[in-house]
């Protein structure tokens, strides 16, 4: 039995500008797809707080994201909290880049 999950096609690399983030929805789950100088990063689409803020609406500062709703900051590379170390880390997902296309590896 093949239990491997196929990577999900997100779009083309050029769809996301360097230093920005886009929301990507798959099977009613949101993901925040970041493009930095160092590559693509996928993070859970909403923060852990009650607000469930869209992380795709956050501000990107270098390798950090600043939540648009509360101002807390996290590492885009590791998902770890920066401004408030009591916060849980954000869940990260693998991105596959192939011939100008990007895929989410769930
Ligand atoms: S509202 Fe949850 S991290 Fe900002």
């Amino acid at each position: 039995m093949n239990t491997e999950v196929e990577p999900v096609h997100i779009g083309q690399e050029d769809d996301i500008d360097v230093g920005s983030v886009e929301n990507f929805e798959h099977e009613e789950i949101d993901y925040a797809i970041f493009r930095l100088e160092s590559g693509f990063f996928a993070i859970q689409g909403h923060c852990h707080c009650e607000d469930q803020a869209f992380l795709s609406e956050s501000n990107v500062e270098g390798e950090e994201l600043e939540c648009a709703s509360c101002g807390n900051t996290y590492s885009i590379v590791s998902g770890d909290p920066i401004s408030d170390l009591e916060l849980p880390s954000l869940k990260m997902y693998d991105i596959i880049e192939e011939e100008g296309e990007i895929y989410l590896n769930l």
Side-chain angles (χ1 to χ4, degrees):
M1 194 172 87
N2 182 7
T3 55
E4 254 182 53
V5 181
E6 288 285 317
V8 183
H9 185 234
I10 298 171
Q12 298 190 316
E13 288 181 0
D14 294 345
D15 293 345
I16 307 177
D17 294 331
V18 174
S20 69
V21 53
E22 296 286 340
N23 191 66
F24 176 67
E25 189 187 329
H26 174 64
E27 294 184 345
E28 294 181 21
I29 298 175
D30 291 307
Y31 302 89
I33 313 295
F34 293 83
R35 184 176 190 186
L36 305 181
E37 294 283 358
S38 51
F40 290 89
F41 298 87
I43 296 182
Q44 66 187 61
H46 299 266
C47 71
H48 296 293
C49 312
E50 231 173 81
D51 288 14
Q52 296 264 300
F54 267 99
L55 293 174
S56 56
E57 291 176 1
S58 54
N59 300 310
V60 179
E61 287 286 339
E63 294 191 335
E64 291 181 16
L65 69 84
E66 181 189 50
C67 171
S69 183
C70 70
N72 275 314
T73 56
Y74 292 85
S75 164
I76 296 168
V77 176
S78 68
D80 293 337
I82 294 170
S83 57
D84 180 353
L85 299 178
E86 301 285 304
L87 292 170
S89 295
L90 299 172
K91 186 162 173 38
M92 307 282 301
Y93 299 87
D94 286 337
I95 294 261
I96 300 170
E97 297 175 50
E98 213 173 78
E99 293 171 7
E101 307 286 333
I102 50 174
Y103 301 84
L104 188 58
N105 203 9
L106 295 174

